[in-house]
Amino acid sequence: MDDIPKNNTQYISNPNSNPSITSGLFENLLSVEPIFNNKELLRHSFTPDTLPHRDSQIQTLASILVAALRGDTPSNILIYGKTGTGKTASVNFVTRELEQTSTHYDIPCDVKFINCEVVDTKYRILAELANTFIEKNTEYILKQISKLEASLTNSPSTFPTNDQHLQLEEISKLKGDLNSFAKVPMTGWPTDTVYSTLVKAVDYRERVVVIILDEIDKLVEKSGDDILYNLSRMNSDLDRSCVSIKGISNDLTFTDHLDPRVKSSLGEEEIIFPPYDAHQLNDILQNRATIAFKEGVLGPGVIRMCSGFAAREHGDARRALDLLRTAGELAERSGDSEVTTDYVEAAQEKIELDRVIEVIRTLPDQSKFVLFTILVLTAKDVSHITTGEVYNLYRQLCKNQELDVLTHRRVTDLISELDMLGIVNAIVVSKGRYGRTKQITLSVPQAHVEKELLSNQRNQRLFTGLEDISIIFQSQF
C-alpha cells in the first residue's frame, strides 16, 4: 500500500505507454457488427406514432381536448393506471397532435409537461410554469417586432405614414412588454408573487394552456394540495387565456386525501388505463422490434418471453421494453449476432438486481442499519439468522455508532419491509414453546449489498470497527 503514488495523475501521465492496447480499444468494439437499427425506439421515453391497444383512451382524451381548438376550456382530467400502462405516452401523443393541429387555428394551444417527482414543491412548479410562459412570450414578442421592423424597412415611403407611426408605437409597446417580464428565480420570491407572475405571463395573449402533472400523487404526498387548488382555480384570474389541468397518477386512491374543493374541480373527468396482458405486450414489442433491430437477429420465443415476464408484473410495457433492449445489449456486448432467450433470462436477472440496488440506495438510515446487520451476520456464516439475533447485533451497532435504537417490534417491521421489497427473504418458523420467529436470508448477492451499503461513508466507518464487536447470540422471540 505504501508504494502507491499519492498523486493520481501519475497513473495517466503517459497515455501512450502501451499504444497497442489503447489505440485499438474502441476500434475493436466498433468493428463488431451492431444488431440494433435504432435502440432509442426501445426506451420508454420514446413516443411512437402509433400506440397499440390504447385507441379507446386516446379517443377519450382527444374528445375532451378538442374543446381547446374551439377556444373553450377543456375539462380537467385525472388519468390513472399502474406503471407501464401507457398513460404518459398516450398523453404525450395526444397533446403533441393538439399543438400541431392548433397551428392551423386562430387560438394557439400551449402544452407544458411537469414531472412532479422531479419538480415537487409549490414554489418550483409555479416558477417552472411562469418561466416557461415568459420564454414563450419573449419568443412571440421578438417575432412580432421582427415582422414590424421588416415591414418598415421594405416601405417605399420617404416620410412616415400614419400606418408606420402606428407600427413604431406598436414596436415601442412590444419592447416595453419584453422588459416587463422578469424570470422567476428558483428560490427567494414570495409564493404569491410567483403566482401573480405566472398569471400575467399566461394571460399576455389569448391561448389555451394544457398543464400535465405527471406523478401528481408524489406532489400531493410531499407538498400537499395547495398548488392544485391554485392551478384548478386559476381560470378565475385570467381574462384572455384559459388553463386545463391533466393529472397522471399510479395511485387510484390519492384523491382520497385531497381537499373536497380540489377534488371536485380537478377530477372533472377520469380515464383509467388497465394493465396490458401478454398478447398486447407482444404486439407492442413486435411493433417496435421490427424497426429497432436488424432483420433476423431476434431468436425464436424472445419477444414472447419478454412479454410473459412483463405480464407477470401487472402488465408493465416499460419492463417489457427494458427486457428486450437489455437482452439485445447483452448479446451485442458478447459479440453474438442473435438475441436468444438465454439473453432475455440474463436481462431479467440484471434488471431485477439493478432495481433492488436502487431500492437499497434510497432506504432510510434505520432500514440500512437493519440490512447492514443482516449482512454482517451473513458474512460471519451465521446459520438460520433469526429476528432476535438481528436485533441483538443491531443494538450493538447502533450504540457503537451513537444512533437511536428502535424497539424490537419496529425492527421486526423493518425486516418485513425489506422482505416486501425483495431485498431479504424472511420466513416465519415455529420454535415450539418459544413461539415463532423469522429466519432471514439475503435475496440479493452479498457482494452487491455490501458494495452499495459501503458507498455510504458513515457505514464504512461502522464496518471498519466490526472486528472489535463481539456478536451476542441470544435468541429473542
Side-chain angles (χ1 to χ4, degrees), residues 112-133 184-187 191 194-195 197-199 202 211-220 222-232 234 245:
K112 176 59 180 176
F113 182 95
I114 294 180
N115 186 336
C116 297
E117 200 164 22
V118 179
V119 185
D120 56 0
T121 65
K122 179 179 180 180
Y123 185 98
R124 289 184 64 194
I125 285 178
L126 291 175
E128 175 89 6
L129 289 169
N131 288 335
T132 294
F133 290 101
V184 179
M186 292 316 294
T187 58
T191 306
V194 182
Y195 176 76
T197 303
L198 169 61
V199 170
V202 168
I211 299 172
I212 302 165
L213 300 175
D214 199 5
E215 307 283 2
I216 190 174
D217 49 301
K218 302 290 177 60
L219 173 66
V220 173
K222 178 172 180 179
S223 304
D225 59 7
D226 284 353
I227 178 64
L228 300 182
Y229 180 81
N230 288 134
L231 294 178
S232 63
M234 188 174 167
I245 311 298

Side-chain angles (χ1 to χ4, degrees), residues 349-379:
E349 291 179 10
K350 181 180 184 299
I351 290 172
E352 184 60 28
L353 181 60
D354 290 345
R355 182 194 70 80
V356 173
I357 294 302
E358 180 59 30
V359 169
I360 292 173
R361 184 178 295 122
T362 57
L363 284 174
D365 283 349
Q366 286 285 2
S367 295
K368 284 182 179 178
F369 267 79
V370 172
L371 178 58
F372 192 75
T373 305
I374 297 168
L375 174 66
V376 172
L377 291 168
T378 303

Side-chain angles (χ1 to χ4, degrees), residues 135-356:
E135 288 175 6
K136 287 181 179 291
N137 291 343
T138 300
E139 184 180 330
Y140 170 77
I141 291 169
L142 290 175
K143 282 183 179 179
Q144 296 301 110
I145 291 174
S146 179
K147 286 180 182 178
L148 291 169
E149 288 178 340
S151 175
L152 288 172
T153 302
N154 296 330
S155 175
S157 302
T158 305
F159 299 99
T161 63
N162 287 336
D163 286 345
Q164 289 173 328
H165 278 300
L166 290 174
Q167 286 176 328
L168 288 168
E169 288 177 4
E170 181 65 18
I171 289 173
S172 177
K173 177 183 177 300
L174 287 168
K175 288 182 177 179
D177 292 344
L178 192 62
N179 294 329
S180 70
F181 288 115
K183 277 203 165 188
V184 179
M186 292 316 294
T187 58
W189 282 16
T191 306
D192 290 347
T193 304
V194 182
Y195 176 76
S196 300
T197 303
L198 169 61
V199 170
K200 177 185 174 184
V202 168
D203 214 30
Y204 178 69
R205 57 189 291 234
E206 187 177 6
R207 60 182 148 204
V208 177
V209 173
V210 177
I211 299 172
I212 302 165
L213 300 175
D214 199 5
E215 307 283 2
I216 190 174
D217 49 301
K218 302 290 177 60
L219 173 66
V220 173
E221 182 182 337
K222 178 172 180 179
S223 304
D225 59 7
D226 284 353
I227 178 64
L228 300 182
Y229 180 81
N230 288 134
L231 294 178
S232 63
R233 301 302 174 100
M234 188 174 167
N235 284 318
S236 61
D237 296 322
L238 298 172
D239 296 320
R240 297 180 180 180
S241 301
C242 58
V243 171
S244 176
I245 311 298
K246 316 300 172 198
I248 305 175
S249 172
N250 299 330
D251 182 4
L252 277 73
T253 64
F254 95 96
T255 55
D256 295 345
H257 310 292
L258 295 179
D259 183 290
R261 295 170 298 173
V262 176
K263 186 176 180 179
S264 63
S265 58
L266 190 64
E268 294 172 339
E269 301 270 1
E270 293 184 351
I271 302 176
I272 307 295
F273 280 68
Y276 294 108
D277 61 31
H279 295 294
Q280 292 172 331
L281 290 171
N282 195 82
D283 292 342
I284 292 168
L285 292 185
Q286 194 70 55
N287 192 37
R288 302 248 193 137
T290 303
I291 306 172
F293 287 98
K294 292 185 180 296
E295 187 176 353
V297 302
L298 291 181
V302 165
I303 289 180
R304 187 167 60 251
M305 181 177 282
C306 290
S307 303
F309 278 144
R312 294 177 197 170
E313 302 204 10
H314 57 254
D316 188 343
R318 293 186 180 187
R319 183 58 174 262
L321 290 167
D322 285 343
L323 270 172
L324 186 56
R325 189 192 72 253
T326 305
E329 289 172 343
L330 293 175
E332 195 171 60
R333 289 171 199 167
S334 300
D336 205 332
S337 60
E338 183 182 46
V339 183
T340 64
T341 53
D342 289 341
Y343 286 115
V344 177
E345 291 175 347
Q348 170 79 344
E349 291 179 10
K350 181 180 184 299
I351 290 172
E352 184 60 28
L353 181 60
D354 290 345
R355 182 194 70 80
V356 173

